[in-house]
Amino acid sequence: MPLKNKEKGKKSGAQKKKNWGADVEAESRHRLVVLEKELLRDHLALRRDEARRAKASEDQLKQRLQRVEAELEGARSEGKAIYAEMSRQCHALQEDMQSRSKQLEEEVKGLRGQLEACQREAAAAREEAEQALRERDQALSQLRTHVADMEAKYEEILQDSLDRLLAKLRAIKSQWDGTALRLHARHKEQLRQFGLTAGSLRPSAPSL
């Protein structure tokens, strides 16, 4: 160390100078002791200053470390809170999506059922309409046939009735002609009894 080396150097110098006087040696020793005390006091003061600065730096570092640890703990707590909130929101979103998906599946299933029912009803209605059209066409055909048959029958009945009516009229005509002739003769006789002529009173027979 510097102090010890210097002390050794001075002791070596003192030993080499044994010829010097005792006063010089004593003075030198006294001055050396005083110097050593001053150096030791300065060294102790320096060490105390260094220790104080080190203690202050240590306190500052501890305070800073505490602040950093507090900030880190706060960040960890905030991160945990954020993670917990995100987890909760994610879980809620998953549940909502699952519920919505299930609801949509149920709606699609219901709509498919309704569509199938509508398709069945439409097919049944179309079949009923086609069946009704076929029955209508068949009924119209039967009605036309029936009308044609009835027209033929009515025509036959009418023709037969006309034939019978004409036959009756012909029979009545012959009877009417005889009756008219007898009436004409009788009226002619009566007119002649009254002195009248009946040439212009001859009846005309109906033409059939």
Side-chain angles (χ1 to χ4, degrees):
M1 295 181 182
L3 293 177
K4 291 183 179 181
N5 291 333
K6 190 173 183 180
E7 184 180 357
K8 287 180 180 179
K10 288 187 177 293
K11 287 181 179 181
S12 299
Q15 290 177 358
K16 290 180 181 180
K17 295 180 181 179
K18 290 179 179 180
N19 297 328
W20 291 7
D23 293 337
V24 174
E25 185 177 356
E27 181 68 21
S28 298
R29 288 180 178 179
H30 177 71
R31 291 180 64 185
L32 181 60
V33 169
V34 172
L35 182 60
E36 288 179 350
K37 287 182 178 180
E38 291 178 355
L39 290 175
L40 181 59
R41 187 172 58 250
D42 293 340
H43 181 68
L44 290 175
L46 181 62
R47 293 297 299 272
R48 284 194 296 270
D49 291 339
E50 290 179 353
R52 284 194 300 270
R53 286 194 298 269
K55 184 67 170 63
S57 298
E58 183 181 359
D59 292 339
Q60 290 178 357
L61 289 175
K62 285 182 179 179
Q63 292 177 359
R64 185 177 179 184
L65 180 60
Q66 290 176 355
R67 289 195 301 269
V68 171
E69 288 178 349
E71 291 177 358
L72 180 60
E73 184 65 25
R76 286 177 178 173
S77 300
E78 185 177 359
K80 289 180 180 179
I82 293 174
Y83 178 76
E85 179 64 20
M86 290 181 66
S87 298
R88 185 190 66 78
Q89 291 181 2
C90 183
H91 184 67
L93 182 60
Q94 288 179 350
E95 289 182 350
D96 185 63
M97 289 180 64
Q98 290 177 357
S99 176
R100 182 59 178 167
S101 177
K102 185 176 180 180
Q103 182 181 359
L104 290 176
E105 289 178 357
E106 292 295 331
E107 290 180 0
V108 169
K109 184 177 179 181
L111 291 175
R112 285 179 178 173
Q114 293 178 6
L115 178 61
E116 292 176 356
C118 290
Q119 289 176 346
R120 288 193 298 269
E121 291 177 359
R126 184 170 57 253
E127 181 64 26
E128 290 179 0
E130 292 176 353
Q131 180 66 25
L133 289 174
R134 288 193 295 269
E135 291 177 355
R136 186 203 65 180
D137 294 339
Q138 184 177 2
L140 287 175
S141 178
Q142 292 176 354
L143 182 60
R144 290 190 185 98
T145 302
H146 182 66
V147 168
D149 292 340
M150 291 196 63
E151 286 178 351
K153 289 180 180 179
Y154 286 150
E155 185 177 356
E156 182 179 357
I157 291 171
L158 182 59
Q159 186 65 38
D160 184 62
S161 297
L162 289 174
D163 291 341
R164 284 183 292 179
L165 181 59
L166 288 174
K168 288 181 179 181
L169 289 175
R170 290 190 186 97
I172 292 171
K173 180 178 181 297
S174 60
Q175 295 176 3
W176 171 255
D177 289 342
T179 302
L181 290 174
R182 286 194 298 273
L183 288 173
H184 180 68
R186 189 176 60 184
H187 289 163
K188 184 178 179 180
E189 180 63 23
Q190 290 176 354
L191 290 173
R192 191 172 48 245
Q193 290 176 2
F194 288 101
L196 298 175
T197 61
S200 60
L201 296 178
R202 181 179 297 177
S204 61
S207 60
L208 295 177

